Amino acid sequence: MPKPAPRLLAIAFLAASLPLAALAQEKDTQGGTPTDAGFFKNAGASGLAEVAFSELATKQSSSSQVKNFAQTMIEDHGKANDELRSLKSGDKGYSLVDKPLPDAQKALDAMSRMKGAEFDAAYRKQMIADHEEAVASFEVEIEKGSNPEMKAFAKKTLPTLKHHLEMAKALPTR
């Protein structure tokens, strides 16, 4: 099998990173960095996606372990989403999101057609990937963010996200 040309790999990487770059362009009218505004928008969208994936899991899964994990995700991410939205009060200049990002929506649409073990495997994979990404994003906000409220939220929430990641990895593989 021929190796992909380096140029094709570079184009694929660029295409994959464009949505994140667009989020980073969001401005913070309170003097914070684009990191803060991008974090706010990305954390909001991914939190909504976690709840949506997990609500689907409560209906489509055949595993009580997956359903219990999904219920934990709905509760924990629901609380985190509410807390994140409360940071918008006082007009921090951040844009609220009301739906998952397009890639997450595409995955939700695909998973809505699955049931049982097939769904469980896809849900596990999605939860691991999403939580690995979330942990990295929250760590960046803690390190590079300038908004004290955002940093405090990230520091408070990060241990829960790491725990969710470990829980997701422990879900049945089939």
Side-chain angles (χ1 to χ4, degrees), residues 44-56:
S46 65
L48 291 172
E50 297 305 318
V51 170
F53 281 117
S54 297
E55 287 173 343
L56 190 58

Side-chain angles (χ1 to χ4, degrees), residues 2-44:
K3 292 182 182 177
R7 184 174 176 169
L8 288 176
L9 289 174
I11 291 169
F13 177 74
L14 178 62
S17 64
L18 283 176
L20 294 176
L23 291 176
Q25 298 305 313
E26 188 79 26
K27 298 291 185 230
D28 179 344
T29 60
Q30 299 299 307
T33 65
T35 300
D36 296 323
F39 170 78
F40 181 83
K41 195 169 189 178
N42 197 29

Side-chain angles (χ1 to χ4, degrees), residues 50-160:
E50 297 305 318
V51 170
F53 281 117
S54 297
E55 287 173 343
L56 190 58
T58 63
K59 299 172 190 153
Q60 310 284 95
S61 176
S62 62
S63 164
S64 61
Q65 187 178 355
V66 169
K67 288 182 179 190
N68 289 338
F69 173 78
Q71 191 59 48
T72 299
M73 294 302 97
I74 292 167
E75 292 167 10
D76 289 355
H77 284 279
K79 288 176 194 170
N81 292 345
D82 291 343
E83 186 175 345
L84 187 61
R85 274 192 294 276
S86 76
L87 297 179
K88 169 69 175 161
S89 64
D91 187 21
K92 301 284 187 281
Y94 305 120
S95 298
L96 289 172
V97 295
D98 59 356
K99 60 186 176 187
L101 293 175
D103 285 348
Q105 188 59 55
K106 186 187 290 186
L108 274 164
D109 292 344
M111 288 174 62
S112 70
R113 295 184 290 276
M114 299 176 191
K115 291 197 184 305
E118 178 187 28
F119 176 88
D120 293 345
Y123 178 70
R124 178 184 184 275
K125 182 178 177 182
Q126 186 73 43
M127 290 298 99
I128 291 170
D130 288 356
H131 283 89
E132 286 174 342
E133 187 176 313
V135 166
S137 174
F138 277 61
E139 287 173 342
V140 167
E141 176 61 23
I142 291 166
E143 182 181 323
K144 297 186 181 205
S146 65
N147 182 302
E149 290 177 319
M150 287 291 149
K151 288 178 82 149
F153 171 76
K155 284 179 185 174
K156 176 183 170 190
T157 308
L158 183 59
T160 302

